[in-house]
Amino acid sequence: MIKAINGIVSKETAIYRITTLWAFSECGLGGLMHAFKFPFTGIFVGGLSVLFITLIALNSRNLKQDIFKALTIVLLIKLAVSPHSPIAAYFAVSLQAVLGFLIFQLFSTNLASVLILTVVTFLASAIQKIIILTIIYGNSLWHAIDQYIFWVAKKLDYNTFNSETLVYLYILIYAVSGVIVGFLIRKITTNVDKVNLEDMPKNIQPSVLKTTKGKKRNLFFFAVLLIFIIIALYLSNNSNSPFSDGLYIVARSIIVITIWYFVLSPLLFSLLRKTLTNKETQLSIQIDKITNFFPLLKSIFIISWNQTSHYKGLNRIEKFVSKSIAYSINYNEIE
C-alpha cells in the first residue's frame, strides 16, 4: 500500500496515478529514444514498464483487469501523443504487460518474480532487435561483420571472435542489466512508502511540454532513393567485391524499411486503432485527465531531481524515481 499525505490513498487511485506515470514514460522517454534510434531503449523504457507493472500488481485487487486496463490506456495515449514510435514499441509494451500478468499471477509479487519479469523482458527486447536486424539486412549483414572481425582479428593475431559471439555478448548485456534493474526496481517499490511527503511543494506549477512535428517527404526524395536501389542491386549482381556487398545490404534494408514503414506498419496501426476505438470512448475521461496531468508531472520530475542532487550514481536514480512516484501518486491536484 502507498501512503498519502493525510492517510492512505486508495488502491484504485494509486493504480490510476501509476498508469499516468507509465503513459508518460512511454510517450516521453520512449518516444524520444525511438525518434533518435537509441540502441538500448529496451533497458530504459522496458525497465520503467516493469517498475510500473510491478507497482500496479502490488496495489491490485484484480490483477488481470487492472494491468490490461492500464495497458489499454497507455497504448491509446501513446497512439495519440507519440505517433512516431514504431509498431514494434507497441508490441513490446503489450508483451511486458502480458508477461507481468502471467508471472505475478503465478508467483505473486516478490523479489524473485520481479527479477524473472525484468530479465525475461530485457531478453525479449534484445532478441527482438536481433530478429529485426536480420529481417532488414539479411544474413549478408552477419557475413559482412564476420569478414570485418576476421580482418581485425588477423591484425591482432586473435581469431576466436565472430558475429555469433557478438550476438551472445549483446544478449548477455541485456540479461545482466535485467538482474541489476530487477534489484533496483524491488528497492524502489519498497522505498516509495518511505519518501517524506512533507518535502513535496504544495503548489506545483505545470511545465510547458514541447511537441515535435514530423518531417514532410517529397517525390524527389523517393526518386533518388529508387535510383540508388536500382544501381546498388545492379552492381551487387555483377560484382563480388566488398563494396558491392555493402551496396546490396543498404539496398535491401531500404526496400524492407520502405515496405514496413509505408505498407505493413500503417496496416497494423489501423488494426490497432480499430481494436482500441470502442475502449477509447469508454476511457476518454480518464485519458483526458492523464494527458492534462503530463505538464505537472514534468515539474514533479524536476523537483525530485533537484532534491536528490546530493546523491550519486544509481543511488540518486533510485531516490529520484522513488520521490517522483511518491509525489505523483500523492499530489492533491492530480484529480
Side-chain angles (χ1 to χ4, degrees):
M1 179 66 74
I2 298 174
K3 67 182 181 180
I5 296 174
N6 298 311
I8 299 177
V9 297
S10 68
K11 288 180 178 290
E12 291 76 14
T13 300
I15 291 171
Y16 169 69
R17 296 174 182 180
I18 292 163
T19 302
T20 303
L21 287 163
W22 190 7
F24 186 88
S25 73
E26 284 293 328
C27 299
L29 181 62
L32 188 66
M33 286 187 164
H34 287 303
F36 287 96
K37 309 298 181 185
F38 191 77
F40 293 101
T41 302
I43 292 177
F44 292 92
V45 182
L48 285 172
S49 287
V50 173
L51 170 61
F52 298 132
I53 290 168
T54 302
L55 286 168
I56 289 173
L58 286 168
N59 290 276
S60 176
R61 290 192 179 95
N62 187 328
L63 187 61
K64 182 178 179 180
Q65 176 182 309
D66 290 335
I67 284 184
F68 290 109
K69 181 180 178 181
L71 172 65
T72 302
I73 291 173
V74 169
L75 290 176
L76 285 168
I77 294 176
K78 191 175 180 68
L79 278 170
V81 179
S82 184
H84 53 275
S85 296
I87 193 69
Y90 296 87
F91 171 77
V93 71
S94 300
L95 178 62
Q96 289 153 12
V98 171
L99 288 173
F101 165 69
L102 292 175
I103 291 172
F104 290 142
Q105 186 76 12
L106 288 172
F107 305 109
S108 74
T109 310
N110 50 52
L111 176 59
S113 60
V114 170
L115 285 172
I116 292 171
L117 176 58
T118 312
V119 172
V120 171
T121 296
F122 281 24
L123 287 176
S125 178
I127 293 170
Q128 175 186 305
K129 285 180 172 60
I130 293 168
I131 292 173
I132 290 173
L133 278 175
T134 304
I135 291 173
I136 293 176
Y137 298 104
N139 292 327
S140 301
L141 172 66
W142 307 113
H143 175 72
I145 292 174
D146 279 336
Q147 292 297 313
Y148 179 74
I149 291 174
F150 176 76
W151 178 79
V152 173
K154 190 175 180 181
K155 296 290 184 182
L156 300 175
D157 194 25
Y158 182 78
N159 58 5
T160 60
F161 194 75
N162 54 28
S163 60
E164 186 176 344
T165 306
L166 198 65
V167 169
Y168 290 144
L169 180 61
Y170 185 76
I171 293 174
L172 180 63
I173 290 172
Y174 269 78
V176 173
S177 299
V179 174
I180 295 171
V181 174
F183 277 106
L184 186 61
I185 287 172
R186 186 57 179 171
K187 189 175 181 182
I188 289 170
T189 57
T190 302
N191 289 342
V192 166
D193 286 344
K194 300 175 183 178
V195 172
N196 184 3
L197 296 173
E198 293 181 0
D199 294 336
M200 179 175 61
K202 298 300 182 290
N203 296 303
I204 301 175
Q205 297 301 315
S207 297
V208 177
L209 291 178
K210 297 179 181 179
T211 57
T212 57
K213 296 181 179 179
K215 296 180 180 179
K216 293 184 178 179
R217 295 171 175 82
N218 51 50
L219 291 176
F220 176 75
F221 172 78
F222 289 110
V224 172
L225 204 60
L226 183 61
I227 292 170
F228 173 81
I229 292 172
I230 293 171
I231 293 173
L233 291 175
Y234 174 78
L235 291 176
S236 64
N237 287 330
N238 292 274
S239 173
N240 293 320
S241 68
F243 177 73
S244 64
D245 289 342
L247 283 177
Y248 171 77
I249 293 174
V250 173
R252 175 196 167 92
S253 66
I254 292 173
I255 292 171
V256 174
I257 290 172
T258 301
I259 293 172
W260 172 257
Y261 189 82
F262 292 101
V263 181
L264 297 179
S265 189
L267 287 174
L268 291 172
F269 268 118
S270 177
L271 180 62
L272 182 62
R273 282 194 175 93
K274 286 180 180 179
T275 303
L276 297 174
T277 296
N278 293 333
K279 294 182 179 181
E280 182 177 13
T281 303
Q282 297 169 10
L283 301 171
S284 58
I285 296 176
Q286 293 185 46
I287 291 171
D288 287 341
K289 280 186 177 182
I290 287 173
T291 53
N292 289 336
F293 188 67
F294 279 0
L296 196 61
L297 202 56
K298 184 179 177 183
S299 296
I300 289 173
F301 292 157
I302 294 171
I303 291 168
S304 300
W305 184 255
N306 291 335
Q307 288 183 353
T308 56
S309 60
H310 53 289
Y311 295 101
K312 303 296 180 184
L314 281 178
N315 195 28
R316 182 178 188 183
I317 293 174
E318 181 267 313
K319 298 295 183 184
F320 159 69
V321 176
S322 298
K323 271 183 177 287
S324 297
I325 293 170
Y327 287 178
S328 300
I329 288 174
N330 291 283
Y331 187 66
N332 57 14
E333 290 185 8
I334 195 165
E335 292 184 329

